[in-house]
Amino acid sequence: VALREQSIQGVLPRRSAFQRKVNLGAAEAQVLAANLDSIFVVSGLDADFSARRLERYLTLAWESGATPVVVLTKADLCDDPQALLLDAEQVAVGVPVHLVSNLTGEGHDELTPYLQPAKTIALLGSSGVGKSSLANGLLGHEAQATKGLAEDGTGRHTTTARQLLRLPGG
């Protein structure tokens, strides 16, 4: 099979770009993901839950040009998930907020409307909040490595790379 020579003919403009500053106070930014339709801002309902941190992540998501969606994981580990849901809704004005359990799969169905063919979604959140477990649950198999909870009940930093994963429905 002969390979044809190919070249880039042009670069299309970005519809959205999630980026972070290269250096604090610098104008230069590193694009982490582009052309996102939605950003799932993921926060665990464990002892590390912080409405203020959620608010900061929501700001980053809005600035990207993508549509934010809050996904509260570890609902099965929380004594009162409804109370933390209300806290999240107070800082996520106008943004859908969903409770999920990656352990039981509860709430994953609520995310289906966002998971449409030809749509790209990023998972944004602190280390150990359940982003990889959420991705695995939505995929239906383990594509991202995960670890058990730490002794204090919080998640552990495991995934160290960005990866585009194709869901079964496209």
Side-chain angles (χ1 to χ4, degrees), residues 45-46 73-82 84:
L45 296 180
D46 53 15
T73 61
K74 304 182 185 184
D76 55 288
L77 297 177
C78 183
D79 292 334
D80 191 0
Q82 292 301 320
L84 295 181

Side-chain angles (χ1 to χ4, degrees), residues 10 46 72 94 98 137 154:
D46 53 15
L72 302 174
H98 301 280
T154 59

Side-chain angles (χ1 to χ4, degrees), residues 65-116:
T67 303
V69 176
V70 174
V71 180
L72 302 174
T73 61
K74 304 182 185 184
D76 55 288
L77 297 177
C78 183
D79 292 334
D80 191 0
Q82 292 301 320
L84 295 181
L85 173 70
L86 289 174
D87 289 348
E89 288 175 336
Q90 288 179 347
V91 298
V93 178
V95 174
V97 181
H98 301 280
L99 283 173
V100 302
S101 167
N102 291 326
L103 183 64
T104 67
E106 179 184 347
H108 283 188
D109 288 346
E110 292 180 27
L111 304 178
T112 303
Y114 310 102
L115 308 175
Q116 299 302 312

